[in-house]
């Protein structure tokens, strides 16, 4: 099994046609990606799931079989499973499944291969290559494994289950529903120049160069020796970058040694392998987006820089560092709000968290305004929001309809700022929000951000990036309401709900709260738990970082001069990241002063 690399720490689960688990916790080889053998008994369609991590990302992959034998588990077999079953990932591994004829599996297989034709050719694979059982060597970057490296696969549910395919070595999006395909992906003529084994070799050297402070600053083999002369790096996205291999490397080494940034010494951990992002293969040397993520000795991940890149010069791959001067990011987030002290209806809301640093760029101009837009399936540019400099804070803030209404204003002359660092762009709960999410599935996740040096959003910014940048949205916003509520939300234990409702603390006394939870399926990486006395979580009574696979949190603090009553509003916020980068935020609330049936 593979997602371009063999899954790390992965286990396999198998469901029979009735939905009964006939195998759980079966280990996957970390070196070869093999699993099994697993005995199948009975007739019908069996579902096979493997969940683990690839580099810094959680990943689950699925497959279907009626007969057993060899079955790969990859994003491509996941696509076949979704299209053949008509079920999105929220429902695929739950409940009974009606038998899926081999003919249906074969038809879906053909549909997927047709959409993948340019990428199959790039990988040197035949048009009829068997994605379920054909030759695959994880990490080889050739054949089937190159296909997994160079094609992004997104799964979801609209009115039907769908698969969205994007090319990392070209352009375009192929959108597939059972029996229908819209759009297409392409592979650039220069794709063969993207030597992925050589990029692996660069990362092997980077891992060695970031193993200790002495290795990092070594004048012969240290980090500077692996960086491009035009490299740039910054302490954080809101800080201007240091340029040149020597200075950029020095900044990163000081960050790893705890001298800069948040003061955390990260040496003793390791730099994680990268997964390929989109590559620019036009004029100039090939440039590919990569991840630069360090895992500290406690297992917590730290992303070093935003939109990092490697470039292939005539001498080989080198680290370029910050791809952009304006290091903007965009992340999809879904919030489930649930009252736990009494019965009340759940609610969900979708957001795009778009962080655009309020920088002074090269040449001295200050970023004052940005216009964010997406493409629709016809290639039209659709504005989503304006963001403006609030005069304080680190990031541009959403330009809203009014100071009390977060609806984005699409007129730069009419609207209001609601404060500093307001990066959350709410998606409407109905058809309008669905349309935005649908465009990301059908036309790709690229966001265009036009940059301006005046608050009227009229004068293009002059800086190293020019007047416009393109970034990719992390995580696909769910479209159907069932997809929003059907995400792998954590289920708090009954005792955790009761303890939150009963929690009261005297002024200046110690607070202790240790919630536990379970998840409905694998593929969610929790990273933070917060306890707050307000809905926006502006005040945090306690907060803790969570290790991978956590099902409990230890929250403790000493309260200030204000007591916490048992009937006061209390919020437990759990935050995690799904397979493709979608952020899930559970807001578990207690408000016993209000009657049952009412939201907090």
């Amino acid at each position: 099994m593979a997602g371009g690399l063999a899954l790390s720490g992965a286990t396999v689960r198998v469901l029979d046609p009735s939905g009964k688990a006939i195998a759980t916790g079966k280990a996957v080889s970390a070196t070869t990606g093999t699993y099994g053998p697993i005995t199948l008994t009975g007739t019908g369609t069996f579902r096979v799931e493997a969940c683990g991590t690839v580099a810094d990302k959680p990943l689950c992959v699925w497959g279907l079989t009626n007969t057993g034998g060899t079955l790969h588990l990859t994003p491509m077999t996941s696509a076949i499973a979704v299209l053949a079953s008509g079920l999105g990932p929220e429902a695929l591994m739950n409940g009974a499944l009606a038998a899926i004829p081999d003919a249906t599996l074969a038809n879906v297989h053909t549909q997927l291969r047709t959409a993948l034709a340019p990428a199959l050719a790039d990988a040197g694979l035949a048009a009829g290559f068997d994605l379920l059982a054909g030759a695959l060597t994880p990490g080889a970057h050739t054949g089937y494994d190159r296909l997994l490296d160079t094609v992004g696969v997104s799964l979801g549910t609209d009115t039907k289950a769908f698969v969205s395919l994007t090319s990392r070595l070209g352009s375009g999006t192929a959108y597939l529903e059972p029996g229908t395909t819209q759009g297409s992906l392409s592979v650039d003529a220069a794709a063969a120049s993207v030597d992925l084994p050589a990029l692996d070799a660069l990362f092997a050297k980077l891992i060695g160069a970031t193993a200790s402070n002495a290795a990092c600053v070594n004048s012969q083999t240290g980090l500077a020796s692996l960086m491009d002369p035009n490299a740039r790096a910054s302490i954080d996205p809101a800080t201007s970058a240091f340029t040149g291999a020597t200075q950029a490397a020095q900044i990163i080494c000081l960050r790893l040694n705890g001298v800069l940034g948040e003061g955390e010494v990260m040496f003793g951990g390791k730099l994680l392998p990268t997964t390929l992002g989109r590559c620019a293969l036009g004029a100039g040397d090939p440039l590919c987006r990569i991840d630069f993520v360090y895992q500290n000795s406690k297992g917590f991940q730290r992303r070093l820089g935003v939109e990092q890149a490697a470039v292939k010069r005539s001498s080989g791959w080198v680290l370029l560092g910050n791809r952009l001067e304006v290091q903007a990011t965009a992340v999809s987030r879904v919030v489930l709000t649930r009252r736990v002290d009494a019965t009340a209806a759940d609610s969900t809301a979708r957001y795009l968290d778009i962080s655009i640093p309020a920088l002074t760029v090269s040449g001295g101009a200050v970023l004052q305004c940005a216009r964010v837009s997406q493409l629709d399936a016809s290639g039209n540019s659709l504005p989503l929001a304006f963001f403006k400099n609030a005069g304080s804070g680190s990031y541009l803030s959403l330009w809203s309809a009014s100071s009390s209404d977060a609806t984005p204003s699409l007129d730069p002359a009419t609207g209001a700022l609601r404060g500093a660092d307001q990066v959350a762009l709410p998606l409407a709960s109905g058809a309008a929000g669905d349309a935005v999410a649908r465009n990301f599935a059908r036309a790709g996740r690229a966001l265009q951000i036009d940059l301006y040096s005046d608050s009227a959003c009229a004068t293009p910014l002059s800086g190293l990036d020019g007047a416009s940048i393109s970034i990719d949205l992390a995580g696909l916003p769910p479209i159907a309401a069932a997809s929003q509520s059907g995400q792998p939300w954590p289920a708090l234990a009954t005792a955790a709900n009761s303890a939150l409702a009963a929690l009261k603390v005297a002024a200046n006394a110690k607070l202790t709260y240790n919630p536990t939870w379970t998840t409905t399926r694998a593929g969610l990486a929790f990273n933070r738990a917060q306890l707050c006395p307000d809905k926006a979580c502006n005040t945090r009574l306690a907060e803790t970082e969570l290790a991978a696979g956590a099902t409990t949190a230890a929250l403790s603090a000493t309260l200030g001069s204000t007591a916490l009553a048992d009937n006061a509003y209390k919020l437990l916020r759990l935050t995690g990241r799904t397979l493709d980068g979608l952020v899930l935020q559970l807001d578990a609330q207690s408000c016993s002063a209000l009657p049952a049936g009412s939201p907090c």
Side-chain angles (χ1 to χ4, degrees), residues 441-521:
R442 301 191 181 208
R445 301 191 195 179
L447 284 170
Q448 179 172 313
I449 303 179
D450 299 317
L451 308 171
Y452 301 94
S453 60
D454 66 322
S455 60
C457 312
T459 305
L461 185 73
S462 58
L464 296 179
D465 298 328
S468 181
I469 60 176
S470 176
I471 62 172
D472 288 341
L473 177 69
L476 192 63
I479 303 171
S483 294
Q484 298 175 48
S485 60
Q487 295 292 330
W489 296 105
L492 285 175
T494 301
N497 292 335
S498 300
L500 183 65
L503 185 64
K504 65 177 181 178
V505 186
N508 304 311
K510 185 175 181 180
L511 173 156
T512 301
Y513 177 49
N514 300 313
T516 60
W517 58 85
T518 58
T519 55
T520 56
R521 64 175 170 88

Side-chain angles (χ1 to χ4, degrees), residues 38 115 155 160 167 174 279 382 386 399 403 446 456 502 508 523 535 544 581:
I38 296 171
L155 310 172
K160 298 180 180 179
S167 173
C279 297
L382 303 178
F386 285 90
W399 183 241
S403 58
N508 304 311
K535 293 182 180 180
T544 187

Side-chain angles (χ1 to χ4, degrees), residues 12-72:
V12 169
R13 179 168 64 117
V14 181
L15 301 185
D16 72 8
S18 72
K20 177 184 176 182
I22 60 174
T24 57
K26 297 293 183 180
V28 176
S29 168
T31 54
T32 65
T34 57
Y35 67 98
I38 296 171
T39 301
L40 305 180
T41 58
T43 60
T45 303
F46 294 85
R47 286 158 284 174
V48 188
E49 172 189 72
C51 291
T53 59
V54 171
D56 66 309
K57 300 176 178 67
L59 179 68
C60 287
V61 283
W62 302 282
L64 302 177
T65 181
N66 289 322
T67 58
T70 298
L71 176 65
H72 294 316

Side-chain angles (χ1 to χ4, degrees), residues 272-293:
L272 296 176
T274 189
T275 51
L276 190 68
R278 278 201 296 141
C279 297
L281 304 176
D285 294 331
L287 184 151
C288 294
R289 305 179 196 191
I290 58 172
D291 297 312
F292 202 59
V293 180

Side-chain angles (χ1 to χ4, degrees), residues 513-539:
Y513 177 49
N514 300 313
T516 60
W517 58 85
T518 58
T519 55
T520 56
R521 64 175 170 88
L524 176 64
F526 291 108
N527 52 40
R528 192 159 299 278
Q530 300 167 320
L531 181 65
C532 308
D534 62 286
K535 293 182 180 180
C537 211
N538 290 324
T539 301

Side-chain angles (χ1 to χ4, degrees), residues 132-505:
L132 295 171
L136 170 60
T137 303
H141 301 307
T142 59
Y144 193 175
D145 190 66
R146 181 175 173 92
L147 179 72
L148 298 174
D149 285 325
T150 60
V151 177
V153 180
S154 299
L155 310 172
T157 306
D158 195 341
T159 55
K160 298 180 180 179
F162 68 80
V163 173
S164 180
L165 306 173
T166 55
S167 173
R168 298 187 179 110
L169 299 182
S171 60
T173 299
Y175 177 85
L176 292 74
E177 290 182 345
T180 62
T181 300
Q182 301 172 17
S184 62
L185 55 81
S186 66
V187 174
D188 194 278
S193 65
V194 181
D195 184 351
L196 296 180
L199 186 58
D200 270 357
L202 170 64
F203 253 76
K205 294 176 182 177
L206 287 169
I207 289 170
T210 54
S212 66
N213 188 56
C216 202
V217 301
N218 186 283
S219 60
Q220 301 298 316
T221 60
L223 190 57
S225 70
L226 305 175
M227 301 192 81
D228 189 74
N230 297 318
R232 51 189 178 187
S234 50
I235 300 170
D236 56 58
T239 304
S240 297
F242 289 78
T243 59
T246 300
Q247 288 195 352
Q250 183 180 35
I251 289 299
I252 295 173
C253 293
L254 289 171
R255 173 70 178 90
L256 290 170
N257 205 28
V259 177
L260 296 177
E262 298 177 359
E264 176 189 21
V265 177
M266 286 185 275
F267 290 124
K270 61 180 179 180
L271 183 68
L272 296 176
T274 189
T275 51
L276 190 68
R278 278 201 296 141
C279 297
L281 304 176
D285 294 331
L287 184 151
C288 294
R289 305 179 196 191
I290 58 172
D291 297 312
F292 202 59
V293 180
Y294 204 84
Q295 181 174 289
N296 68 15
S297 58
K298 296 181 180 179
F300 298 129
Q301 294 179 4
R302 303 289 183 256
R303 187 169 294 274
L304 303 176
V306 172
E307 283 277 344
Q308 297 295 282
V311 61
K312 188 184 178 188
R313 303 301 190 193
S314 58
S315 58
W317 287 100
V318 286
L319 182 65
L320 187 61
N322 299 353
R323 182 179 73 89
L324 299 169
E325 181 178 31
V326 179
Q327 295 184 78
T329 61
V331 179
S332 298
R333 175 167 55 98
V334 181
V335 179
L336 171 65
T337 302
R338 172 171 291 163
R339 182 173 177 179
V340 300
D341 66 298
T343 302
D346 290 346
S347 64
T348 58
R350 297 168 292 184
Y351 299 88
L352 305 181
D353 294 331
I354 302 176
S355 301
I356 307 170
L359 282 178
T360 300
V361 298
S362 300
V366 180
L367 179 58
Q368 297 289 354
C369 177
R371 176 185 183 269
V372 179
S373 58
Q374 67 169 173
L375 293 178
D376 66 12
S378 299
N380 301 309
S381 178
L382 303 178
L384 295 178
F386 285 90
F387 288 79
K388 292 192 178 187
N389 196 327
S392 60
S394 300
Y395 298 93
L396 302 187
S397 287
L398 179 68
W399 183 241
S400 301
S402 72
S403 58
S404 59
D405 183 353
T407 302
S409 169
L410 298 181
D411 180 354
T414 304
L417 293 173
R418 296 178 300 110
D421 294 327
Q422 298 293 314
V423 302
L425 167 60
L427 297 187
S429 59
D434 292 349
V436 172
R438 189 172 291 119
N439 285 335
F440 287 122
R442 301 191 181 208
R445 301 191 195 179
L447 284 170
Q448 179 172 313
I449 303 179
D450 299 317
L451 308 171
Y452 301 94
S453 60
D454 66 322
S455 60
C457 312
T459 305
L461 185 73
S462 58
L464 296 179
D465 298 328
S468 181
I469 60 176
S470 176
I471 62 172
D472 288 341
L473 177 69
L476 192 63
I479 303 171
S483 294
Q484 298 175 48
S485 60
Q487 295 292 330
W489 296 105
L492 285 175
T494 301
N497 292 335
S498 300
L500 183 65
L503 185 64
K504 65 177 181 178
V505 186

